[in-house]
Amino acid sequence: MNRRIKAIISIFCLTAIILTGCSNMTNNNLSEGSSDDLLWWQKTNAYEIYVNSFQDSDGDGYGDLNGIRSKLDHLKSLGVGAVWLTPVYESPMMDNGYDVADYYAINPRYGTMEDMDALIKEADEKGIHVVMDLVFNHTSDQNEWFLASKKSRDNEYSDWYIWRDPKEDGSEPNNWRSIFGGSAWTWCEERQQYYLHTFASAQPDLNWENPDVRQALCDIANFWIEKGAGGFRMDAIPYIKKPADFSDGPVDDSEGRADIHKMTANTDGILDFLSEFKTKVTEGKDVFTVGEANGVSPDQLKYWVGSEGVFDMIFEFSHVNLDFKESETWCKTGSWLLTDLKKALTDSQKATASNGWYPIYFENHDKPRSIDHFFPGNTDPVLAGKALGTVLLTLRGTPFIYQGEELGFTNVAWDSIDDYDDLNSHSQYEIALSEGFSEEEALDCVHRLSRDNARTPMQWDISDQAGFTTGTPWLPVHDDYINENAETESKDPSSVLSWYRKLTSFRSEKAVLINGAYKELLPESEEIYAFERKNENDRIVILVNFTGEDVSYDPEKAGIDKAAGEKILHSSYEDIKDSAPASIGNLRPYEAVLIGR
Ligand code: NOJ
């Protein structure tokens, strides 16, 4: 939708609100089974692009905006109507763009503002809205605001960040540990004070208590709406509000530190900041918001999403962090059962049944590849990719596909920690050594959990560097690219990509997959994830075998009514050469089926 039409709709809606008190366009509250009142972002598929690694158009080894423009048809083939770009603003790239130096400028590595305008326009013409990543908890330490703030205690920007005096002995103001490891405080010689950073020291936290900071952030978001952005993913939201009490927290590591997440996340008052943002930025406009909001409990959800909430959706982490139940450090993670995963997903489905809307995801740029995360090491990636893809594309909510997931990408395992770029992989490696793990064990943990697993370049074809660049890619292309690439998979009806295309197209035809209520089936099973989607006219049962064995189940217990004509509509084996037809009551290894009339 172009800006003009959006502006007309906004004026129309504002008038309607005044005259009738109608609810705003972004946060309508949906009850299960309603159909026509869904908004565009609830009926479409979203796709996350990690810009560094998607497509390079100028041979410098980094993805860029013109590269994205050249691949919009790939997104179209997956029914994508919203594309979330990781930060494209000017940045020293200490954390690949999550350290913003200038929110109003495009990173020259990625192109120019003209390229950005062209991307928004061309995407729009193909029915794809560009979603910007707003990194508002912190900036780069090279941002002008911070450069001014650190100069003195009495200039216009002095109070834009969180500064504290040292303890009497000169040490940090408290013992909080940053999310990337080490103290959350860094000393500034110039100002003779410490500043707080929830993440790396190059990412100082903004002081949201200061109304000028909040206004500056609203202005940035409005600038991008004016440019034609269709929505925002809002980074690291739980941390924007700091508690009044800055005293030491309970020590939980060998360095005498306390986890900053436990000390500051989702502090009372955070919703006031966010509702101000909603009022000043998104309310009444045809854009959606999805907050990265780890740790919001189901009883709080109604304040976060839905008609009364501050966002349209929130990414929460319960299903992707099952192994982090006991510890946040990478070598101390624990195991989980299929019933744990099913419970986490079912809880989120139930919590968003009447409050807001759920963004379905298994992968993003901070997580390892889902095939390795959710299945044992020797699993056939094609079957596993189709199995997870089936859940992703049939739960209730908006599916967020992460680049490469639709091709069945798997983790990398490089020889040395020096081969890894991700700053968090380096700090987690050091933490593992300090916990007493050997170098080999620490590297194993990096292989399993590194964010670089998800950041290797996209694999487009079998040419050099998988068609990603004509130069040297900033991260090596995965060895598997000869088999796993968009061109080869497009020609193979049994590939992960073909399955994604089939299911996204099926989803767009079957209203029940968009608006139908969710009900879990076979909840006790440690082998099968089964659920139903149902509206007043239609019903589909989805069954996914999470094991490498043949598994049978009782169709009646799975709620399948053969007498009423329910049959297998799709099986992930159906295009595999010489494979037998799928049968109700049995699932082959990692088989996924959709049953309905
Ligand atoms: C979450 C982002 O997804 C991650 O990539 C980044 O490092 C942190 N927030 C800090 O911005």
Side-chain angles (χ1 to χ4, degrees), residues 103-104 136 145 157 160 206 210-223 276-277 280-281:
Y103 296 89
Y104 291 101
F136 280 176
W145 300 340
Y157 293 95
W160 278 46
L206 283 161
N210 182 334
D212 294 341
V213 170
R214 300 201 299 276
Q215 188 56 49
L217 299 177
C218 290
D219 292 346
I220 291 163
N222 278 322
F223 168 82
E276 179 186 339
F277 180 84
K280 289 186 173 169
V281 178

Side-chain angles (χ1 to χ4, degrees), residues 48 50 84 86 95-99 133 135 137-138 179-180 199-200 203 233 235-236 239 292 317 364-366 422-424 451 455:
E48 182 194 350
Y50 195 67
W84 151 27
T86 51
D95 189 16
N96 288 339
Y98 286 93
D99 47 329
D133 206 324
V135 188
N137 173 67
H138 47 270
I179 288 188
F180 291 155
F199 296 91
Q203 295 166 303
R233 179 261 186 186
D235 186 65
Y239 309 111
E292 187 199 26
F317 289 39
N364 62 33
H365 63 282
D366 292 330
D422 167 32
L423 81 175
N424 196 29
R451 306 193 298 178
R455 298 175 178 188

